[in-house]
Amino acid sequence: MLKIKKENINTLLEELMKDYQVYAPVKNGSKAAFKVIENPDDIFTGHVKSEYSPKSVFFPQSEVLFEYSKEGVSIPEKKEKPYLLWGVRNCDTKSIRMLDKVFGNARQAPDKDMYKDPYWKQKYDTSIIFNFACNAPLTTCFCNWFGSGPFDESGSDIFVVETKDDLIFKGISEKGKELLKKLSVSEISDKKDEEAVSELKEKAVSMMPEVTDISALYEKLPKLWNEPIWQEISSKCVNCGACAFICPTCHCFDVSDEGKNGKGKRVRLWDSCMFPIFTMEASGHNPRGNSVDRVRQRVMHKFNYFKDNYGTHLCTGCGRCVVVCPVNLDIRDVIKDIINYELNKKVPADV
Amino acid sequence: MCNGYLPIQMRVDKVLTENPDKTLKTFELSFLKDNDRENFKYMPGQFCEFSITGKGESPFGIASSPTEKDILKFTVNRTGSVTKEIHYLRPGDIVGVRGPLGNWYPVGKFKGGDVVIIGGGFAFTTLRSLLVYMLEHRSDYGKITVIYGARNPDLFIYKEELEAWDKRNDLILHLTIDKAVEGWTKLCGFVPTVTKEVKLDPKSWAVVCGPPVMIKFTLPVLKEIGFNDGMVYTSLERRMKCGIGKCGRCGIGSKYVCIDGPVFSLEELKNIPEAF
Amino acid sequence: MLQELKDTVKKLISEKKVDIVIGWKRGTLPGSASPLFIQTQEDADELIFDSTCRNNLTAYLTKDKRKMSKDYKKTGIIVKGCDARSVVLYAVENQVKRENIFLIGVPCEGVYEKKKIRAAVDGKEILGIKKSGNAVTITGRDFEIAVPDKDVLSDSCIYCRYPDALEYDVFIGEPRKEVDVKDEFAAVKEFEKKTSEERWEYIKSEYSKCIRCYACRNVCPSCYCNECFVDQNNPQWIGKTPEMTDSIIFHLIRNLHTAGRCVDCGSCVSACPAEIDLRIMSKKVEKEIKERFDYTAGLDINEKPVMATFCEHEKQDFIMS
């Protein structure tokens, strides 16, 4: 493991900024979001986790697919340095790796490039993620339900632990190890540092909530399809898109042409399965016409469908939706309610 | 890098109005570039994203058959904002097309077997593609039966071709309308009822496409006759936006209609409550 | 008071005077409450009412998402002053029949604003919030601070003249009566003193934070259109991007659509994940309506909606000649 003194972080970042476009948490209004930094001092570390997830680095809320005019279509040429993400928590690192399964690959035809997303790949394939351990997880964190934890290194390119005076670096991926070799400001860490790291880890892990066993979730969900539990869960949902837009793994989008007089751009925009128009067809028919259907869809997609297709839950337990939901529809409660739901129990006739 | 979001440009060559109300039009398109023409290889049942830049993009099943060289046909029902704009198109206009997308009717599996095609209203588009394809390779297939229903005689699409198919003796065509009208000499009654009456061989392959209510009532009839779920196919419609399995709008269960379909066997749909 | 509230609700349920009662229960986050739908006596045991009961629950009466007023013959609902005004608005606008709603009024001492609490502790996570007199103690993992309650109460509450339900079927607790807030439009007047450039800069910087999640619209009791103009695509009125111009159009049109109809409950402000100052424009519109038409939304169930009436003597100086 390597380390640098905290006072040298800016020097390191300046060095990295020569070769990379560096994204890090910066102040966005009263909250933190991942944005490209022009100066190491732009970085804002005051919040444990950026309130807006870093998915927007690779999958912005609005992204131009191409420009069109009467002459035809053209893709705006982008010459960018590779992306480097600094200060990412493991829940978000994992989310980005999940999204790559969707955008970077083609599950039904892995060899066909037309099914891979070029806009994602252009940014993602050369990117590198500095995953920072969480010394003080929030009470809304529940990554440990998904087998992860505040000091989970998996998925990182470079794993970073912030100790009292230093940042300790550990290369995880080949890409990460290569980069660490090239950095000029680092020194080798010693046993004392390792002790400090394990001490921090122990403390952080102890701050995590009790683990809820979610192993039954995937198989149980389809059996609940017609159960009244969905009425109960969805009753308070107001069908806004706050949870989906704040979620690091939600990735559904809309495509819209923006322009006039034959000139403009086709853009893709984040969308949410909570919105009634998400599935509305031109005929007026809506396959998911009510809130119950839509809330069920979101839960099914996260904890059943995605696992069917990609082998993992589409949730990393970051807890952002818990914080942001205007009616406190807490996904942790939803998961627990589903797990504890008794199938075949008698339902009063008037429900 | 290959870009699945980028349409190729095609020219509208012919516009055919299919019904007196002018709500259904068939557009015949040709390729502008030679390499687009060469690269565009498709099978019956696949779909395209059809766009007019600035107005938006919508998915449509390809109505032409791969055996009809160098052109693509789409039949468009005017319902929303994009289809309205498409209906304004005139010969010579340039449009964007992405595709071919999705899977196709398993014509390879059908080889040597009898095939029943059941369609309703303007959802006959990819069924036309399938039928034309099979007629071009007629000797590959056994008995071909077509049941095609519409609310009234005006609402059949491809009327000239229907007449020609009706005259052929290597194909059985049952045309039916919901309620008798003067001058109509073919069948009367809903598609499910006709399906029951015409005595189909349950060992056949079946392909069913039409409005949701038609599909809903036809499938149990096929089951009753004894068709095997694995041999009955349908093509699903959802609001596909990206067409390449990313945008999530066409999800039914864990399947995405755009990449896992649009063609599914009943066997595959059995455990997906959202499918119908 | 809470026990009386629970007993009243239980009685209503057991005597079948209502099919359902909407109230609040303790939320899963410190200092939060969550909507509670009460259909049995046991459900009522979860009821709470305090300064965390932020949501204007009347939104559940009309929204496409649940349409309580259609699902149930008679709906009971626990209302603060602003919430009750929403029900008056619904009745005036023929969205619900007043006789189908049973209003349980409660005395409101104002509710906490999430945004202000976060600001008071620099965005750190809070673990507890406790009120004692006019002070509020906020605790976190490594801090405990006490602030005057006006620092964390919603602006809508600080400037609220009608904390008690004016319209109710039963009132639990001691009403606070109409409050003299001196100048409810103080913030708007401050804003108006700025130059137009400064005002534009402020509006731009606030609305550029919008992520177009529509939480503001979806929690708003006055926004009950089955199809919102932003969702229409034939014609498409505005772009769907989160770019500032599109976002500003969305918010300003929403302000106009709720002109003379906004009860200043503050639901939009607290629902906004981007913490946009949504109130400045809605209050500005409210002030205009007050000055021009001497009208305040949701006060009089027999008065026609201000935007649906016209009198010849009304000021018309806004019409350009």
Side-chain angles (χ1 to χ4, degrees):
Chain A
M1 289 196 292
L2 300 171
K3 69 170 178 180
I4 63 162
K5 289 256 166 291
K6 276 187 183 170
E7 60 259 33
N8 295 328
I9 292 178
N10 282 11
T11 320
L12 170 67
L13 280 164
E14 273 158 17
E15 188 181 338
L16 290 169
M17 283 164 70
K18 281 183 206 144
D19 297 327
Y20 292 94
Q21 189 153 314
V22 176
Y23 285 81
V26 301
K27 212 60 190 283
N28 185 44
S30 51
K31 304 203 166 178
F34 274 78
K35 301 221 163 140
V36 67
I37 56 160
E38 270 149 37
N39 187 321
D41 292 330
D42 293 347
I43 297 178
F44 171 68
T45 54
H47 298 173
V48 171
K49 181 162 26 188
S50 64
E51 281 80 3
Y52 298 104
S53 89
K55 78 173 170 189
S56 59
V57 171
F58 300 111
F59 176 49
Q61 178 158 13
S62 132
E63 180 164 33
V64 177
L65 297 177
F66 55 80
E67 288 166 355
Y68 60 80
S69 67
K70 291 193 172 89
E71 283 74 50
V73 300
S74 62
I75 301 176
E77 189 80 20
K78 260 194 201 164
K79 279 218 170 75
E80 286 175 331
K81 294 180 202 163
Y83 285 18
L84 185 150
L85 278 70
W86 177 269
V88 182
R89 301 297 183 195
N90 195 255
C91 48
D92 291 336
T93 302
K94 289 267 166 61
S95 304
I96 291 165
R97 304 306 183 209
M98 278 177 199
L99 293 183
D100 185 54
K101 290 176 192 244
V102 178
F103 288 107
N105 294 285
R107 69 172 160 82
Q108 87 291 9
D111 53 330
K112 278 203 172 165
D113 280 349
M114 72 166 280
Y115 289 104
K116 294 172 187 166
D117 194 288
Y119 306 94
W120 171 275
K121 286 180 76 67
Q122 189 193 15
K123 294 179 281 244
Y124 177 85
D125 286 355
T126 53
S127 69
I128 194 149
I129 296 180
F130 280 70
N131 180 121
F132 279 50
C134 302
N135 289 352
L138 302 172
T139 59
T140 48
C141 292
F142 61 112
C143 61
N144 54 346
W145 295 19
F146 299 92
S148 181
F151 273 61
D152 190 351
E153 309 168 348
S154 60
S156 319
D157 289 312
I158 293 169
F159 184 69
V160 187
V161 181
E162 185 181 345
T163 59
K164 193 164 160 281
D165 302 313
D166 308 296
L167 291 188
I168 315 276
F169 293 94
K170 184 176 173 190
I172 305 294
S173 70
E174 281 312 311
K175 219 191 309 190
K177 287 175 187 162
E178 283 304 307
L179 178 64
L180 275 189
K181 277 186 209 158
K182 282 190 269 175
L183 296 180
S184 58
V185 286
S186 44
E187 49 185 297
I188 308 286
S189 65
D190 54 27
K191 196 141 182 249
K192 236 166 116 190
D193 295 317
E194 274 163 47
E195 276 167 21
V197 168
S198 51
E199 211 171 283
L200 284 167
K201 178 176 176 176
E202 201 177 312
K203 188 172 163 230
V205 168
S206 75
M207 289 163 92
M208 291 299 290
E210 197 186 328
V211 174
T212 296
D213 179 8
I214 57 162
S215 55
L217 194 55
Y218 165 79
E219 281 192 7
K220 190 161 185 187
L221 272 168
K223 295 179 193 149
L224 300 184
W225 186 268
N226 287 315
E227 296 289 320
I229 186 173
W230 299 110
Q231 263 85 12
E232 290 159 31
I233 291 173
S234 66
S235 59
K236 61 185 173 183
C237 176
V238 293
N239 275 213
C240 72
C243 53
F245 286 4
I246 221 81
C247 174
T249 66
C250 270
H251 56 271
C252 290
F253 63 85
D254 190 11
V255 178
S256 174
D257 284 3
E258 309 274 341
K260 58 178 182 182
N261 302 332
K263 201 168 176 320
K265 49 201 175 176
R266 181 162 295 169
V267 289
R268 69 157 155 220
L269 302 151
W270 290 355
D271 207 340
S272 165
C273 58
M274 291 293 102
F275 298 147
I277 58 159
F278 183 70
T279 46
M280 179 73 93
E281 289 165 14
S283 61
H285 171 68
N286 193 345
R288 280 184 221 120
N290 64 59
S291 181
V292 178
D293 296 339
R294 293 194 285 272
V295 171
R296 180 173 55 203
Q297 163 66 19
R298 185 154 197 275
V299 175
M300 289 294 287
H301 192 195
K302 292 213 167 290
F303 303 110
N304 181 271
Y305 301 157
F306 197 80
K307 194 163 174 153
D308 260 348
N309 289 325
Y310 300 104
T312 160
H313 291 305
L314 189 63
C315 174
T316 58
C318 78
R320 286 189 181 89
C321 59
V322 176
V323 175
V324 96
C325 178
V327 294
N328 187 233
L329 179 51
D330 190 323
I331 191 77
R332 297 170 300 179
D333 283 355
V334 172
I335 293 172
K336 284 184 195 161
D337 287 350
I338 290 166
I339 288 168
N340 296 331
Y341 188 79
E342 283 173 56
L343 274 162
N344 309 320
K345 76 170 179 191
K346 282 263 182 294
V347 180
D350 58 327
V351 174
Chain B
M1 204 185 300
C2 183
N3 188 329
Y5 295 98
L6 217 54
I8 57 166
Q9 290 190 304
M10 294 191 76
R11 185 179 51 238
V12 179
D13 282 347
K14 286 180 199 159
V15 181
L16 183 71
T17 305
E18 296 280 358
N19 64 338
D21 287 351
K22 298 182 181 169
T23 53
L24 292 162
K25 286 185 180 179
T26 297
F27 299 86
E28 192 178 304
L29 314 179
S30 63
F31 295 90
L32 288 188
K33 289 184 190 147
D34 288 340
N35 64 329
D36 287 344
R37 184 187 304 115
E38 280 146 30
N39 291 337
F40 201 100
K41 302 235 167 15
Y42 70 101
M43 291 297 280
Q46 289 195 281
F47 71 98
C48 287
E49 291 281 349
F50 188 119
S51 67
I52 305 178
T53 47
K55 308 294 180 189
E57 199 173 44
S58 272
F60 298 102
I62 306 174
S64 50
S65 155
T67 52
E68 299 169 278
K69 293 280 177 239
D70 301 341
I71 57 132
L72 291 180
K73 271 187 191 181
F74 297 95
T75 300
V76 177
N77 179 35
R78 197 181 66 211
T79 47
S81 57
V82 180
T83 49
K84 184 183 82 187
E85 296 295 337
I86 292 174
H87 268 241
Y88 289 139
L89 289 172
R90 304 249 180 284
D93 287 343
I94 305 296
V95 298
V97 170
R98 287 195 293 129
L101 300 167
N103 66 355
W104 50 88
Y105 300 120
V107 285
K109 281 193 198 165
F110 292 177
K111 273 187 190 173
D114 295 346
V115 182
V116 182
I117 293 175
I118 303 173
F122 57 85
F124 203 74
T125 56
T126 56
L127 295 182
R128 178 199 176 271
S129 174
L130 174 65
L131 184 58
V132 171
Y133 179 90
M134 290 200 300
L135 291 175
E136 276 298 313
H137 302 91
R138 188 63 192 90
S139 57
D140 285 350
Y141 306 96
K143 201 165 123 186
I144 298 178
T145 309
V146 178
I147 300 169
Y148 180 18
R151 246 179 308 159
N152 60 58
D154 286 344
L155 288 174
F156 285 106
I157 50 178
Y158 318 128
K159 294 186 187 67
E160 280 179 23
E161 284 175 300
L162 288 176
E163 255 175 57
W165 290 331
D166 202 22
K167 287 183 189 130
R168 289 177 74 131
N169 51 18
D170 57 354
L171 144 83
I172 305 160
L173 179 66
H174 301 290
L175 295 179
T176 180
I177 57 171
D178 290 1
K179 240 176 33 202
V181 294
E182 234 185 277
W184 180 253
T185 57
K186 306 279 180 350
L187 301 173
C188 282
F190 296 116
V191 168
T193 321
V194 173
T195 306
K196 202 183 281 183
E197 285 165 359
V198 296
K199 303 255 171 331
L200 299 172
D201 180 357
K203 287 194 199 64
S204 317
W205 298 89
V207 179
V208 188
C209 271
V213 58
M214 185 208 96
I215 293 183
K216 193 176 158 195
F217 289 104
T218 305
L219 295 178
V221 172
L222 290 176
K223 210 168 174 77
E224 202 184 303
I225 300 170
F227 276 80
N228 178 332
D229 281 348
M231 291 174 73
V232 177
Y233 287 83
T234 186
S235 177
L236 294 182
E237 282 195 31
R238 282 295 186 277
R239 228 184 135 197
M240 283 94 83
K241 276 270 179 177
C242 75
I244 54 175
K246 312 295 177 211
C247 79
R249 302 179 83 89
C250 65
I252 50 155
S254 53
K255 307 280 185 198
Y256 278 3
V257 172
C258 70
I259 51 169
D260 299 304
V263 175
F264 293 94
S265 74
L266 287 197
E267 188 67 40
E268 293 171 283
L269 296 180
K270 243 198 270 185
N271 297 318
I272 305 180
E274 267 195 320
F276 299 114
Chain C
M1 183 227 131
L2 184 58
Q3 196 50 48
E4 198 187 341
L5 180 64
K6 287 180 185 175
D7 293 343
T8 308
V9 171
K10 285 182 185 177
K11 199 155 166 253
L12 285 168
I13 296 276
S14 70
E15 289 174 357
K16 297 215 166 10
K17 286 204 171 132
V18 296
D19 305 305
I20 189 167
V21 175
I22 316 175
W24 297 272
K25 63 173 175 180
R26 184 60 61 225
T28 59
L29 296 173
S32 77
S34 184
L36 172 67
F37 302 99
I38 304 162
Q39 285 180 292
T40 66
Q41 305 234 20
E42 297 82 73
D43 291 345
D45 287 327
E46 285 192 73
L47 263 176
I48 60 159
F49 182 70
D50 56 28
S51 287
T52 64
C53 296
R54 167 73 277 178
N55 298 70
N56 183 338
L57 302 172
T58 66
Y60 288 109
L61 294 172
T62 55
K63 291 266 162 98
D64 154 76
K65 71 209 166 202
R66 190 158 167 114
K67 287 207 172 110
M68 291 267 178
S69 52
K70 293 213 170 84
D71 290 353
Y72 301 101
K73 272 204 206 92
K74 188 130 184 170
T75 306
I77 187 158
I78 301 170
V79 286
K80 308 184 290 280
C82 48
D83 309 339
R85 284 168 59 198
S86 289
V87 175
V88 170
L89 182 88
Y90 291 153
V92 165
E93 296 181 349
N94 290 322
Q95 293 305 307
V96 297
K97 288 202 170 73
R98 175 65 184 88
E99 62 269 27
N100 293 347
I101 309 294
F102 191 94
L103 292 177
I104 306 161
V106 281
C108 176
E109 295 183 355
V111 295
Y112 301 137
E113 182 57 71
K114 216 158 74 176
K115 178 165 90 172
K116 286 190 172 184
I117 297 174
R118 281 188 74 251
V121 298
D122 276 342
K124 293 205 184 74
E125 187 176 37
I126 65 154
L127 299 182
I129 176 158
K130 228 172 89 186
K131 194 170 174 173
S132 46
N134 288 335
V136 174
T137 309
I138 309 168
T139 48
R141 258 193 191 124
D142 47 10
F143 63 86
E144 177 175 315
I145 61 160
V147 294
D149 60 2
K150 69 169 177 24
D151 284 7
V152 290
L153 285 177
S154 163
D155 283 344
S156 301
C157 304
I158 294 171
Y159 295 100
C160 173
R161 286 169 59 203
Y162 310 101
D164 307 321
L166 300 173
E167 179 79 23
Y168 56 83
D169 297 290
V170 59
F171 198 94
I172 315 283
E174 274 305 305
R176 282 175 65 202
K177 305 275 166 43
E178 190 173 327
V179 180
D180 180 15
V181 295
K182 304 276 183 310
D183 189 358
E184 61 180 308
F185 297 114
V188 178
K189 284 177 185 163
E190 279 305 306
F191 185 63
E192 284 168 343
K193 279 184 204 153
K194 296 182 178 178
T195 66
S196 68
E197 285 78 24
E198 286 168 337
R199 293 200 299 265
W200 177 235
E201 278 309 314
Y202 184 71
I203 293 294
K204 273 201 301 193
S205 72
E206 284 300 306
Y207 291 164
S208 60
K209 293 190 268 183
C210 179
I211 58 168
R212 299 293 285 274
C213 70
Y214 304 127
C216 51
R217 175 193 75 185
N218 286 23
V219 296
C220 174
S222 302
C223 269
Y224 55 67
C225 289
N226 274 336
E227 195 186 14
C228 179
F229 76 99
V230 293
D231 292 336
Q232 291 174 339
N233 70 348
N234 196 9
Q236 185 176 327
W237 300 103
I238 62 169
K240 294 177 172 182
T241 71
E243 275 165 35
M244 201 248 316
T245 45
D246 287 335
S247 296
I248 284 191
I249 294 172
F250 161 59
H251 288 289
L252 295 188
I253 293 187
R254 204 176 86 81
N255 287 140
L256 292 177
H257 281 184
T258 53
R261 308 175 56 247
C262 171
V263 298
D264 194 16
C265 66
S267 283
C268 55
V269 176
S270 68
C272 179
E275 303 192 337
I276 299 170
D277 179 3
L278 294 166
R279 190 169 175 270
I280 191 74
M281 286 310 289
S282 61
K283 205 66 190 171
K284 163 77 179 158
V285 173
E286 191 186 327
K287 177 170 170 277
E288 291 296 313
I289 299 278
K290 178 82 188 163
E291 285 170 357
R292 282 173 189 279
F293 310 110
D294 191 27
Y295 181 91
T296 304
L299 293 185
D300 184 350
I301 204 157
N302 298 311
E303 199 171 1
K304 282 189 179 150
V306 66
M307 285 295 149
T309 53
F310 174 69
C311 303
E312 279 180 35
H313 65 263
E314 280 172 5
K315 277 190 197 171
Q316 292 170 15
D317 56 336
F318 60 91
I319 300 173
M320 285 191 271
S321 49

